[in-house]
Amino acid sequence: MGSEDIVIHDALYAYKSNIDSKYVVYFSQTANFHEQIRRSISSSKISSISTENLGKVRIPVPPLEIQREIVRVLDTFTKLEAELEAELEARRRQYQYYRDALLTFGEHTDSASKQASKQASKHKVDNLG
């Protein structure tokens, strides 16, 4: 969808339409799309779908202006989700650091304990404001 890396597979399909391409990408991630595909998949070791069966998928197509608004909203949520994931990962690393520092008894224990207390106090104050 723009600047992201892609993988090309031998079962690559192309289509031409007036539908917003990002709208189609988002729709292809829905349970509705996957259920339609599931009904037409032929499976052995590798699942595949014919061009004919892929062409039978029904995509709800609102006016282009509505498609673009849907894409804008979903792009916003995608960005927020990425920010939340990054924050969660940072908190996991912080937790691991302090857990390891606090449970490693020795010369760094007092310093780590003070730092952890300071961080906890700051976090509490930040959340109150």
Side-chain angles (χ1 to χ4, degrees), residues 32-85:
N32 181 337
F33 176 81
H34 288 271
E35 181 54 38
Q36 290 184 67
I37 294 296
R38 204 172 293 119
R39 287 181 281 201
S40 301
I41 282 180
S42 61
S43 291
S44 55
K45 283 189 172 188
I46 299 174
S47 297
S48 65
I49 186 167
S50 68
T51 305
E52 180 183 339
N53 283 336
L54 186 60
K56 293 177 183 177
V57 171
R58 296 292 161 233
I59 301 173
V61 184
L64 192 55
E65 181 180 313
I66 302 297
Q67 292 174 47
R68 289 181 178 145
E69 180 62 15
I70 289 169
V71 167
R72 185 192 67 74
V73 169
L74 293 175
D75 281 349
T76 300
F77 276 110
T78 300
K79 182 181 177 204
L80 289 171
E81 181 183 35
E83 290 171 1
L84 288 170
E85 288 293 334

Side-chain angles (χ1 to χ4, degrees), residues 23-38:
Y23 175 82
V24 174
V25 169
Y26 280 123
F27 179 76
S28 71
Q29 297 170 9
T30 66
N32 181 337
F33 176 81
H34 288 271
E35 181 54 38
Q36 290 184 67
I37 294 296
R38 204 172 293 119

